[in-house]
């Protein structure tokens, strides 16, 4: 056969047990595209697959819609310059198959197995023979390995890393090592945890249980709770409680010996029954009793509540959060409000008196001494600390949760707390951080699922944009494996 006959590319099919090897390749170009004469023509080496049987090429068979897999990477490759050049030429001159992005490999070395993503992309871009598309995908991968190996001067080819959910879980250490989680993984977790899906009937998965924290009991979070971390949203009480439970388990002196973070569940329920701070509930016609809230009692660590010198207690009323600092040794209470420097109304003063009474009753229930005795227990006062706080109407819970970790009570001087407030961009970023902090916590019984399903997400938007939860994401921007 002469060079003027036709284009020809001979490829032998490999079996799964056989390794790839580079051997000569022969490639012919039509006379219309030749720049040399027949006398000057020298054939390019031919590509074959070692161990393949010589058979007559068969007509392409109908292929089922399954995800093609990349062939196993060869353990060693010895690329020659001519071989690499020949392969590159084959790839770039295969004009009979359209190719929109010839310079990118069809796989990534990220957190997840991307063979499915590569397969779907190739099927979309190449509407020709499935066997041809698979062959070119393999060739593309091989060329990249050759180029990488030649540039590094090594004999071994790079190995494609694939991780299962369990492997990913083993590499993410939380909550102590939360900063070790890659930013892109935090972003994926945020999208997975806060995204609500809607079915054909219009129903959403907002009540799906996606987190179960194991502490004094099983504290369950539904997707609707995590969804409250979305931009410009008021954060649910369950998120604040989850952070309290996680901080109380941290192996740090601050939380093991000094400060106990009181989950706000009982206080929130009490305020729903005493909405104006009344000591006699207009709903139940009874005074507050800890025993009236058995569903939340077991989430309280009685030992720490009765023994730690400080209690940090978040409070929420009418959608606004503030933080009580209780010095159990001196029986002194202070309030850090991200929005107010003093009680904004008489109603808030009444609510503060009632919540002070609730805290005193909880301490007594746990075995500690009340903050005041007798009727004075209903007159507990708390002074406001002047502190720089929120810049919006919806970030109060973010400030309260961060203050649980940062505030040093001894640094409160003359009713003021000096500190460097965050930028709004940093406050926005904390919403992303708290999603992964909760879902990737070692206390979460469903942690492996959170890691696995977060890892499966593909994001088309740049990661730097996603760090701001004000980035609007829709289903067209997200792919799942």
């Amino acid at each position: 056969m002469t060079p003027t006959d036709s284009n020809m590319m001979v490829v032998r099919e490999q079996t799964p047990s056989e390794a790839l090897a580079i051997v000569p390749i022969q490639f012919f170009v039509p006379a219309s595209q030749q720049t040399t004469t027949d006398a000057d023509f020298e054939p390019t080496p031919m590509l074959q697959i070692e161990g393949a049987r010589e058979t007559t090429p068969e007509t392409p068979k109908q292929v089922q819609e399954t995800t093609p897999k990349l062939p196993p990477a060869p353990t060693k490759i010895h690329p020659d310059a001519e071989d690499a050049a020949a392969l590159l030429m084959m790839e770039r001159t295969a004009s009979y198959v359209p190719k929109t992005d010839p310079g990118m490999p069809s796989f990534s070395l990220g957190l997840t197995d991307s063979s499915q993503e590569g397969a779907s992309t190739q099927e979309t871009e190449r509407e020709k023979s499935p066997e041809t598309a698979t062959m070119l995908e393999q060739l593309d991968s091989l060329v990249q390995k050759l180029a990488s190996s030649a540039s590094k001067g090594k004999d071994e080819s790079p190995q494609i890393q694939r991780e299962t959910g369990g492997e990913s879980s083993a590499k993410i250490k939380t909550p102590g090592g939360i900063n070790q989680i890659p930013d892109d993984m935090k972003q994926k977790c945020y999208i997975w945890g806060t995204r609500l899906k809607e079915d054909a009937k219009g129903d959403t998965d907002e009540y799906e249980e996606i987190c179960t924290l194991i502490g004094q009991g099983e504290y369950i979070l539904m997707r609707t709770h995590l969804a409250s971390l979305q931009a410009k949203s008021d954060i649910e009480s369950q998120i604040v409680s989850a952070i309290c439970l996680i901080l109380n388990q941290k192996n740090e002196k601050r939380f093991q010996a000094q400060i106990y973070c009181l989950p706000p569940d009982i206080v929130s329920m009490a305020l729903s029954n005493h909405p104006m701070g009344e000591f006699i509930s207009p709903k139940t016609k009874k005074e507050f009793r800890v025993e009236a809230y058995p569903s939340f009692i077991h989430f309280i660590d009685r030992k720490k509540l009765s023994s730690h010198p400080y209690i940090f207690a978040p409070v929420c009323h009418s959608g606004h959060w503030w933080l009580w600092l209780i010095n159990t040794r001196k029986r002194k209470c202070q309030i850090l409000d991200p929005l107010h420097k003093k009680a904004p109304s008489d109603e808030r003063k009444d609510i503060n008196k009632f919540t002070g009474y609730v805290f005193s009753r909880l301490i007594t229930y746990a075995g500690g001494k009340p903050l005041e005795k007798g009727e004075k227990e209903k007159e507990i006062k708390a002074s406001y600390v002047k502190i720089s706080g929120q810049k919006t109407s919806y970030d109060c819970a973010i400030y309260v949760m961060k203050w649980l970790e940062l505030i040093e009570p001894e640094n409160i001087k003359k009713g003021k707390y000096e500190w460097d407030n965050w930028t709004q961009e940093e406050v926005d970023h904390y919403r992303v951080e708290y999603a992964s902090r909760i879902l990737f916590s070692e206390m979460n019984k469903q942690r492996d699922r959170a890691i696995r399903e977060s890892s499966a997400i593909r994001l088309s938007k740049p990661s730097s944009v996603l760090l701001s939860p004000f980035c609007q994401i829709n289903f067209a921007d997200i792919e799942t494996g």
Side-chain angles (χ1 to χ4, degrees), residues 47-120:
L47 174 66
Q48 291 182 343
I49 307 300
E50 184 181 40
R53 297 185 303 275
E54 293 190 7
T55 58
T56 303
E58 299 177 359
T59 303
K61 299 178 181 179
Q62 184 66 27
V63 181
Q64 296 181 354
E65 292 186 359
T66 57
T67 304
K69 297 182 180 179
L70 289 172
T75 55
K76 290 190 178 181
I77 292 179
H78 304 276
D80 293 330
E82 293 180 358
D83 294 335
L87 289 170
L88 286 169
M89 181 192 71
M90 281 187 62
E91 183 191 30
R92 294 171 183 172
T93 60
S95 58
Y96 57 89
V97 178
K99 193 172 185 180
T100 59
D101 187 11
M104 292 299 293
S106 59
F107 59 87
S108 75
L109 302 180
L111 289 168
T112 59
D113 185 340
S114 60
S115 61
Q116 294 181 355
E117 181 185 35
S120 62

Side-chain angles (χ1 to χ4, degrees), residues 7 16 60 66 81 167 181 184 204 226 295 306 319 337 342 370 392 447:
N7 282 346
T66 57
E167 290 171 337
I181 302 177
D184 63 339
T204 67
L226 273 297
S295 299
S306 61
D337 192 314
K342 62 180 182 179
T392 68
R447 178 172 181 259

Side-chain angles (χ1 to χ4, degrees), residues 376-395:
K376 290 185 178 181
E377 197 173 23
K378 296 181 180 179
E379 296 292 335
I380 294 173
K381 296 181 180 181
S383 59
Y384 275 71
V385 176
K386 295 180 180 180
I387 185 171
S388 177
Q390 68 192 86
K391 305 174 182 65
T392 68
S393 61
Y394 45 78
D395 287 324

